[in-house]
Amino acid sequence: MSTRSSLPDSPKTAGPPASARRWPPLAALASGIGALVASEFLPASVLPAMAADVGVSEGVAGLAVAATAIAGAVTAPSIAVLLPRTDRRTVLVGLLVASVVANLAVAVAPGFAVLLLGRLVLGVAIAGFWSFAFGAGTHAVPGRDHTVSTSIALGVTVATIAGIPLASLAGDEIGWRGVFVGAALLSALAAVAVAVTLPPVPAHPSAGLAMLRKALANRRLMAGVLGVVLVAFGNFAAYPFIRVVIEKVDAGSTTWLLLAWGVGGLVGNLAAGRLAGRLRAVVTVAPLLLGVSLLITVTADATALLAVAVVLWGLAFNMVPVATQLWVTRVEPERAESAVALQVTAFQVAITLGSASGGVLLDAHGVTAALLLGAAAAVAAGVLFALLRVPRG
């Protein structure tokens, strides 16, 4: 006689409901990517003090962010090649530990060389964690890919909204080095959370160079990766200069308008997950909305209209990480790890190229030119995604 029918009556087999088991690993992954992304953009919060302390100009110190993005772009597609069989939970914990070391190196850096080395290590940690987190999350919570992607992106959004302003305030109180010590502590706590809540995640049998080569041969996937580059380039050609735009219209409203961008971003992040069943529409509409929002932003001459544009901007762009992550994994489901790695690479390349291009246009032609470039790239991305089919999830 089968004993299966008696299992529900046995108190020994009782456990927490599935929903209760689902959230701890997702929260741990979100906290990990949140700590890493907050660390990535910390220099923007403490740049003048950091530059003065290590003896370089603010422009040179700004390379600390670019270096992190460049290291991430190189790491994302290569880390699985270097670690093809290592349990992904072990890798994720190790990357968070690397973030701890990187932030502490910056905190004690006697000069710019050590600071830059720490930032390069951080770039490796960010790209590697982001590349593996989605697969680890779907392993821990099967059949909930949209929930996993939304949770990871939510960590990014919260870090973007809260990390920079809080770090700026903390820097005034405890100094810029203390801010990086705090970032190291956050990464350490996230490492413990991932180690405790995430089950072992064995590597895919074909992980490594063979998987990456086959993913690169998928023309539809690579066209989508180009779309990711375009839309992220469009955002980052404009976003570093959002304060410049706001202050031209209403300098006294800068703080609450930046907060409004973040609130829009939170809504966009959650909306993308809820609309995952209409993925082709989302990956098409989000870049187009971003382009429209940038055009409204650059032409706004009143605070109310600027507020609408800024909220729409935050909403549109923060739909992109969730939607494009789901898009690449549905186009390449058998090689999702490599597909996500290529998406991460696209973002990191776009951050570097977009911010650099926008800065050149800002200096030469003013902020309007930077935002128009961003709008054009975003619209091009929307058109490209509209032409690409995606399998149903």
Side-chain angles (χ1 to χ4, degrees), residues 305-374:
L305 182 59
L306 182 61
V308 171
V310 165
V311 170
L312 183 61
W313 180 355
L315 185 150
F317 179 68
N318 283 279
M319 294 179 77
V320 171
V322 177
T324 57
Q325 187 170 75
L326 294 173
W327 193 94
V328 299
T329 57
R330 290 185 190 174
V331 167
E332 189 56 279
E334 295 302 315
R335 289 169 278 274
E337 188 171 272
S338 290
V340 172
L342 291 170
Q343 183 224 18
V344 173
T345 298
F347 265 96
Q348 298 296 334
V349 168
I351 290 171
T352 305
L353 296 181
S355 57
S357 301
V360 169
L361 285 177
L362 176 70
D363 290 342
H365 303 290
V367 73
T368 297
L371 267 67
L372 289 177
L373 173 65

Side-chain angles (χ1 to χ4, degrees), residues 166-241:
L166 288 179
S168 181
L169 292 173
D172 292 339
E173 296 297 323
I174 62 175
W176 72 271
R177 294 182 185 273
V179 169
F180 281 93
V181 172
L185 178 59
L186 289 177
S187 294
L189 293 173
V192 172
V194 170
V196 170
T197 64
L198 198 69
V201 185
H204 192 281
S206 65
L209 186 59
M211 177 188 283
L212 179 61
R213 278 203 307 259
K214 290 178 180 178
L216 288 170
N218 185 330
R219 294 183 179 180
R220 185 165 44 162
L221 173 65
M222 297 311 297
V225 169
L226 174 60
V228 174
V229 171
L230 286 171
V231 65
F233 176 95
N235 180 74
F236 287 102
Y239 183 71
F241 318 112

Side-chain angles (χ1 to χ4, degrees), residues 143-190:
R144 306 284 295 185
D145 61 342
H146 63 285
T147 304
V148 173
S149 187
T150 301
S151 300
I152 293 169
L154 186 61
V156 176
T157 302
V158 171
T160 304
I161 296 170
I164 292 177
L166 288 179
S168 181
L169 292 173
D172 292 339
E173 296 297 323
I174 62 175
W176 72 271
R177 294 182 185 273
V179 169
F180 281 93
V181 172
L185 178 59
L186 289 177
S187 294
L189 293 173

Side-chain angles (χ1 to χ4, degrees), residues 34-385:
L36 290 165
V37 170
S39 299
E40 181 174 16
F41 294 109
L42 277 186
S45 306
V46 296
L47 193 64
M50 185 178 76
D53 202 6
V54 298
V56 296
S57 70
E58 291 182 14
V60 172
L63 294 174
V65 174
T68 303
I70 292 169
V74 173
T75 299
S78 61
I79 188 167
V81 175
L82 298 174
L83 302 169
R85 299 290 172 261
T86 308
D87 182 279
R88 292 338 191 195
R89 179 180 65 177
T90 302
V91 176
L92 290 169
V93 172
L95 291 167
L96 287 169
V97 172
S99 174
V100 174
V101 174
N103 281 313
L104 289 177
V106 174
V108 301
F112 187 64
V114 174
L115 186 150
L116 193 61
L117 179 61
R119 298 295 296 177
L120 290 170
V121 173
L122 180 67
V124 172
I126 293 170
F129 193 95
W130 206 335
S131 298
F132 291 132
F134 179 80
T138 54
H139 179 82
V141 188
R144 306 284 295 185
D145 61 342
H146 63 285
T147 304
V148 173
S149 187
T150 301
S151 300
I152 293 169
L154 186 61
V156 176
T157 302
V158 171
T160 304
I161 296 170
I164 292 177
L166 288 179
S168 181
L169 292 173
D172 292 339
E173 296 297 323
I174 62 175
W176 72 271
R177 294 182 185 273
V179 169
F180 281 93
V181 172
L185 178 59
L186 289 177
S187 294
L189 293 173
V192 172
V194 170
V196 170
T197 64
L198 198 69
V201 185
H204 192 281
S206 65
L209 186 59
M211 177 188 283
L212 179 61
R213 278 203 307 259
K214 290 178 180 178
L216 288 170
N218 185 330
R219 294 183 179 180
R220 185 165 44 162
L221 173 65
M222 297 311 297
V225 169
L226 174 60
V228 174
V229 171
L230 286 171
V231 65
F233 176 95
N235 180 74
F236 287 102
Y239 183 71
F241 318 112
I242 187 172
R243 290 191 64 153
V244 178
V245 180
I246 292 173
E247 289 173 0
K248 285 177 64 177
V249 178
D250 185 356
S253 299
T254 299
T255 300
W256 74 264
L257 284 174
L258 290 175
L259 179 61
W261 189 95
V263 172
L266 184 61
V267 173
N269 177 285
L270 298 174
R274 293 296 297 271
L275 296 172
R278 304 188 178 200
L279 195 52
R280 186 178 185 183
V282 176
V283 295
T284 299
V285 171
L288 295 177
L289 281 179
L290 175 60
V292 170
S293 70
L294 292 176
L295 290 175
I296 299 173
T297 300
V298 81
T299 57
D301 57 2
T303 304
L305 182 59
L306 182 61
V308 171
V310 165
V311 170
L312 183 61
W313 180 355
L315 185 150
F317 179 68
N318 283 279
M319 294 179 77
V320 171
V322 177
T324 57
Q325 187 170 75
L326 294 173
W327 193 94
V328 299
T329 57
R330 290 185 190 174
V331 167
E332 189 56 279
E334 295 302 315
R335 289 169 278 274
E337 188 171 272
S338 290
V340 172
L342 291 170
Q343 183 224 18
V344 173
T345 298
F347 265 96
Q348 298 296 334
V349 168
I351 290 171
T352 305
L353 296 181
S355 57
S357 301
V360 169
L361 285 177
L362 176 70
D363 290 342
H365 303 290
V367 73
T368 297
L371 267 67
L372 289 177
L373 173 65
V379 170
V383 172
L384 177 57
F385 276 117

